[in-house]
Amino acid sequence: MSTNSVDAGHLRAFLERIERLEEEKRAIADDIKEVYAEAKGTGYDVKIMRKIVSIRRMDADKRREEEEILEIYLAALGEA
Amino acid sequence: MSTNSVDAGHLRAFLERIERLEEEKRAIADDIKEVYAEAKGTGYDVKIMRKIVSIRRMDADKRREEEEILEIYLAALGEA
Amino acid sequence: MSTNSVDAGHLRAFLERIERLEEEKRAIADDIKEVYAEAKGTGYDVKIMRKIVSIRRMDADKRREEEEILEIYLAALGEA
Amino acid sequence: MSTNSVDAGHLRAFLERIERLEEEKRAIADDIKEVYAEAKGTGYDVKIMRKIVSIRRMDADKRREEEEILEIYLAALGEA
DNA sequence: TCAGATAAAATCGCGC
DNA sequence: GCGCGATTTTATCTGA
C-alpha cells in the first residue's frame, strides 16, 4: 500500500470524525432553539432570555478570570 | 406558592437546560478544534480540510433542499 | 481647515456613498418582490420558485468553492 | 406546443429575471462592504458607522411616515 | 490585526 | 391582521 493511500485513509478518518462532531453540534444547537421555542410558548420573552443567558455567561467568565488571577497571586506568594 | 415563584422556577429550569446544552456545544466545538490540530500535527493542511468539509456540507444541504422541494411539489399536487 | 472638519467631510462622503448603494439595493429587492408577485399572479407557486432559486444558487456556490479549493491545492503544490 | 412547455418557458423567464436581479443585489452588497472596508482603512470605526447609517435610515423612515400622515390629513381636509 | 465562520437580531412574506 | 417561520442582515468570535 502506497504512502498516499495511507494518508488518504487517515485524512478520511479525520474528516469523518469532524463531520460527526459537527452533526452533534448542530443537533445541540437545534435543541437549544427548541428550548427557546418551548419557553416562548410558555409565555417567556426569548430576547430577554437570551440576554439573561449572555449576562450569566459573562459572569461565569468573569468568575473564572478572577479565580485564575487569585491562583496566580497565590502561586506568587508561595514562591515569595 | 405564588404564581410568580412558579413562573420564576419555570424560567430558571429553561435557563438551566439552555446553559447545559450550550456547555455541551462548546465542548464539542473544542473537540473539533482538537481534531483539526491533530490532523495538522500529522501533516495535513487545515485550510484545505476546512474547504473539503465545507463542500461536503454543501452537498448534504443541497440534497436536503432537493428533498424538501420534492415534498413541496408532492403537496402541491395533492392539493391540485 | 482643521483635521476634524476634513475627517468629518470624509466620513460624510463615505456615509453618502453607502446610503446611495443601500437605496439601490432596496430598489432591486423591490424589483425581485415584484417579479415573484407577477409570477404568482400568473399561477406559479412562489414557495417552489424560491426553492428552485435557492438550489440553483447552491449549485453556483458549490462551483465557486470547488474552484477555490483547486486554487488552494495549486498554491500548496507551488509551495511544496 | 403544449400548455406545459409554454408555462415552463414562462417560469424559466421569471427565474432568470430573479437570478439576474439577485446577482445585482449581491454586487451592490459587496460594494457596500468595500466602502466600509475603505472607511476602516482610513481610520473610521465600522461599527459606529453602521449605527449612524441605521439611525439616519430610521430618521428618513420617520420623515416619510410623517409626510404620509400629513398627506392623509390634507386629503381629509380637502374632502371636508 | 484581519478575514472568515458563527450566532443573534431584524425583517419579511405567508398562512390562518 | 397577526403570529410564525424563513430569509436577510448585523454582531460577535475565532483562527491564520
Side-chain angles (χ1 to χ4, degrees):
Chain A
M1 192 183 275
S2 77
T3 302
N4 272 337
S5 70
V6 169
D7 280 345
H10 224 153
L11 178 59
R12 172 175 302 277
F14 280 129
L15 293 176
E16 277 164 10
R17 273 168 73 195
I18 288 165
E19 283 168 351
R20 216 165 328 111
L21 288 167
E22 294 214 328
E23 189 146 348
E24 285 179 41
K25 189 151 79 86
R26 233 169 298 131
I28 290 175
D30 287 347
D31 288 349
I32 292 172
K33 268 185 219 158
E34 273 178 46
V35 178
Y36 276 117
E38 195 187 334
K40 185 180 181 174
T42 317
Y44 293 111
D45 182 316
V46 171
K47 198 174 168 185
I48 290 175
M49 286 182 69
R50 285 190 187 278
K51 253 292 170 265
I52 294 172
V53 169
S54 152
I55 288 169
R56 282 165 60 144
R57 183 166 41 221
M58 288 175 81
D59 285 348
D61 289 352
K62 195 158 158 273
R63 210 168 312 123
R64 253 189 293 275
E65 283 265 303
E66 285 167 355
E67 276 164 21
E68 279 173 35
I69 289 171
L70 181 59
E71 276 174 39
I72 292 169
Y73 277 139
L74 292 176
L77 281 175
E79 287 164 10
Chain B
M1 193 183 274
S2 77
T3 302
N4 272 336
S5 69
V6 169
D7 280 344
H10 222 156
L11 177 60
R12 173 175 300 278
F14 280 129
L15 293 175
E16 276 164 11
R17 272 168 73 195
I18 288 165
E19 283 167 352
R20 216 163 332 109
L21 288 167
E22 294 213 328
E23 190 147 345
E24 285 179 42
K25 190 150 76 86
R26 235 169 297 131
I28 291 175
D30 287 346
D31 289 347
I32 292 172
K33 268 182 231 165
E34 275 177 47
V35 178
Y36 276 117
E38 195 187 334
K40 186 178 183 175
T42 318
Y44 293 111
D45 182 318
V46 171
K47 199 171 171 185
I48 289 176
M49 286 181 70
R50 285 189 187 276
K51 259 281 175 271
I52 294 172
V53 169
S54 156
I55 288 172
R56 284 164 61 143
R57 184 167 39 222
M58 290 180 95
D59 284 345
D61 287 352
K62 192 167 166 265
R63 214 168 308 126
R64 248 188 297 276
E65 288 262 302
E66 285 167 351
E67 278 163 23
E68 279 177 31
I69 203 175
L70 180 60
E71 278 174 39
I72 295 172
Y73 274 134
L74 294 177
L77 282 176
E79 288 165 9
Chain C
M1 195 184 273
S2 78
T3 302
N4 272 336
S5 68
V6 170
D7 280 343
H10 224 152
L11 178 59
R12 173 176 300 277
F14 278 130
L15 294 176
E16 277 164 10
R17 272 169 72 195
I18 288 165
E19 283 167 352
R20 215 162 331 111
L21 288 166
E22 294 214 327
E23 190 148 346
E24 285 179 41
K25 189 150 78 84
R26 234 170 296 129
I28 291 175
D30 287 346
D31 289 349
I32 292 172
K33 268 180 230 167
E34 274 178 46
V35 178
Y36 275 117
E38 195 188 334
K40 188 179 182 173
T42 318
Y44 292 110
D45 183 318
V46 171
K47 201 170 170 186
I48 290 177
M49 286 182 69
R50 284 189 186 278
K51 260 281 174 274
I52 294 172
V53 169
S54 156
I55 288 172
R56 284 165 59 144
R57 183 167 40 223
M58 290 180 94
D59 285 344
D61 288 351
K62 194 169 166 263
R63 216 167 309 126
R64 250 189 296 275
E65 288 263 300
E66 284 168 350
E67 277 163 23
E68 279 176 33
I69 204 175
L70 181 60
E71 278 173 40
I72 296 172
Y73 274 133
L74 293 177
L77 283 176
E79 287 163 11
Chain D
M1 194 183 272
S2 78
T3 301
N4 271 335
S5 69
V6 170
D7 280 344
H10 222 156
L11 178 58
R12 173 175 300 278
F14 280 129
L15 293 175
E16 277 164 10
R17 272 168 73 195
I18 289 166
E19 283 167 352
R20 215 163 331 111
L21 288 167
E22 294 215 327
E23 188 146 348
E24 286 178 41
K25 188 150 83 87
R26 232 170 297 129
I28 290 175
D30 287 347
D31 289 349
I32 292 172
K33 268 187 218 157
E34 274 178 46
V35 177
Y36 276 117
E38 195 188 333
K40 185 179 182 174
T42 318
Y44 293 110
D45 182 316
V46 171
K47 197 176 169 185
I48 291 175
M49 286 182 69
R50 283 187 188 278
K51 255 291 172 266
I52 294 172
V53 169
S54 150
I55 288 169
R56 283 165 59 142
R57 183 165 42 219
M58 289 175 80
D59 285 348
D61 288 351
K62 197 160 157 271
R63 212 167 312 124
R64 252 188 294 275
E65 283 265 303
E66 286 167 353
E67 277 163 21
E68 278 174 32
I69 289 171
L70 182 59
E71 277 174 39
I72 292 170
Y73 277 140
L74 292 177
L77 281 177
E79 288 163 9

